[in-house]
Amino acid sequence: MTTGTRTAPARNPVPATPERGARRRTRPARLGLHAFLMTVSLAFLAPLLLAVYASLRPYEETSEYGYFSLPRHLSFDYYKQAFTDSGMSKYFVNSLIIAVPGVLLTLFFASFVAFAVSRLKMRGGLVLLMVFTAGNLLPQQVIVTPLYVLFTKIDLPYRMSDSMTLYDSYWAVIAVQIAFQVGFCVFVLANFMRTLPLEILEAAVVDGAGVWTQYWRITLPLCRPALAALGTLQFTWMYNDFLWGLVFISDGDKLPVTSALNNLRGQFFTDYNLLAAGSVIVALPTVLVFLLLQRHFIAGLTLGASKG
């Protein structure tokens, strides 16, 4: 009886397929694409990084050695000074009073119109969608004067406006923000709702669901990524707006936070490092909102990217 050692079978190398060869050939192109994207990202981040860098340095140092020189002294003193000297906490509240209701009402009205245009069989729905979209093409500065005259003639009770008119109240800025932003949101949501399976609403109708149930309990939950993406963009635009608050509010205590940066400018001298610190503080809420809604925001931007 003879015994032999069993040898392991030789492993055949994986044959090179056309897909593997193409993948290897495209690797330099992918590296070039990543390098290009990183360069563009750094170009967009450069002003913000320079502002943060300048806000940590004394103005005397940057005036002597330049903004692109190596730091001799870094501190957060400018941030404390910017927050206290400009009274920024009060202006933060003003911006939230304008932005939060503005975003919620814009998304509600836009989603309701988008649902009616895209999911209900209504006559003239395409024309209505075109009207809402065309409203975004109107330059905002063109109607500043007509709106100013109109708001001074619209009376409000004292509990809604201490000026007794729509002018010099938060309602004026909120109304203008909604009017200009709802068209863009209708366009985006209507196109997204058209991608939803129609069978879901048909099954709901068979079960006895009315129009409100189809909209509120069925369609809106499916639109959560799109609503999150739009909510992030709308909050950023309304929060950072400077024009409408400056035009329709005359009381300095009601101005939004973007106007608080003017309080950091002196009559004869402006410390731009202090102004950079105030700009960074003003930008923090929008960054926080993006970080909180980052997952939904990215999902909303990539909707339909993998559909053939």
Side-chain angles (χ1 to χ4, degrees), residues 190-211:
N191 288 307
F192 174 74
M193 290 181 182
R194 287 195 176 96
T195 64
L196 300 178
L198 190 60
E199 291 78 8
I200 298 178
L201 291 183
E202 293 176 349
V205 172
V206 172
D207 293 337
V211 176

Side-chain angles (χ1 to χ4, degrees), residues 206-230:
V206 172
D207 293 337
V211 176
W212 178 259
T213 303
Q214 298 174 40
Y215 161 74
W216 187 257
R217 302 187 61 181
I218 299 176
T219 304
L220 276 192
L222 296 176
C223 297
R224 186 178 302 171
L227 291 173
L230 287 174

Side-chain angles (χ1 to χ4, degrees), residues 264-291:
L264 300 177
R265 302 174 65 94
Q267 183 178 2
F268 303 104
F269 168 74
T270 299
D271 189 339
Y272 290 101
N273 292 27
L274 177 63
L275 193 61
S279 301
V280 173
I281 296 175
V282 169
L284 287 179
T286 56
V287 176
L288 179 61
V289 170
F290 174 78
L291 293 178

Side-chain angles (χ1 to χ4, degrees), residues 46-234:
L48 176 61
L49 297 178
L50 181 60
V52 174
Y53 181 54
S55 65
L56 298 174
R57 304 176 63 188
Y59 180 79
E60 294 77 10
E61 181 179 313
T62 56
S63 62
E64 181 177 356
Y65 301 104
Y67 282 95
F68 295 97
S69 60
L70 294 177
R72 274 73 172 175
H73 177 70
L74 297 176
S75 67
F76 291 94
D77 295 339
Y78 272 140
Y79 287 92
K80 181 179 179 181
Q81 183 180 351
F83 191 83
T84 55
D85 290 357
S86 63
M88 203 166 287
S89 58
K90 172 181 61 179
Y91 296 104
F92 269 126
V93 176
N94 295 340
S95 290
L96 293 179
I97 291 175
I98 295 172
V100 173
V103 171
L104 295 179
L105 291 175
T106 299
L107 294 180
F108 174 73
F109 293 145
S111 61
F112 207 76
V113 175
F115 175 78
V117 170
S118 61
R119 311 306 287 177
L120 300 181
K121 297 179 180 179
M122 57 177 297
R123 184 175 301 176
L126 181 59
V127 176
L128 182 62
L129 180 60
M130 293 176 60
V131 170
F132 274 95
T133 306
N136 293 325
L137 304 179
L138 181 67
Q140 299 180 1
Q141 294 80 2
V142 173
I143 61 173
V144 167
T145 302
L147 285 178
Y148 175 84
V149 176
L150 177 64
F151 289 169
T152 56
K153 297 181 180 299
I154 298 178
D155 296 330
L156 289 179
Y158 181 78
R159 64 178 180 273
M160 296 182 62
S161 173
D162 52 8
S163 65
M164 304 294 289
T165 62
L166 189 59
Y167 175 75
D168 195 24
S169 68
Y170 298 121
W171 300 103
V173 184
I174 294 174
V176 173
Q177 294 286 6
I178 294 174
F180 273 99
Q181 302 300 335
V182 72
F184 172 75
C185 294
V186 168
F187 176 77
V188 174
L189 290 175
N191 288 307
F192 174 74
M193 290 181 182
R194 287 195 176 96
T195 64
L196 300 178
L198 190 60
E199 291 78 8
I200 298 178
L201 291 183
E202 293 176 349
V205 172
V206 172
D207 293 337
V211 176
W212 178 259
T213 303
Q214 298 174 40
Y215 161 74
W216 187 257
R217 302 187 61 181
I218 299 176
T219 304
L220 276 192
L222 296 176
C223 297
R224 186 178 302 171
L227 291 173
L230 287 174
T232 306
L233 293 175
Q234 293 299 319

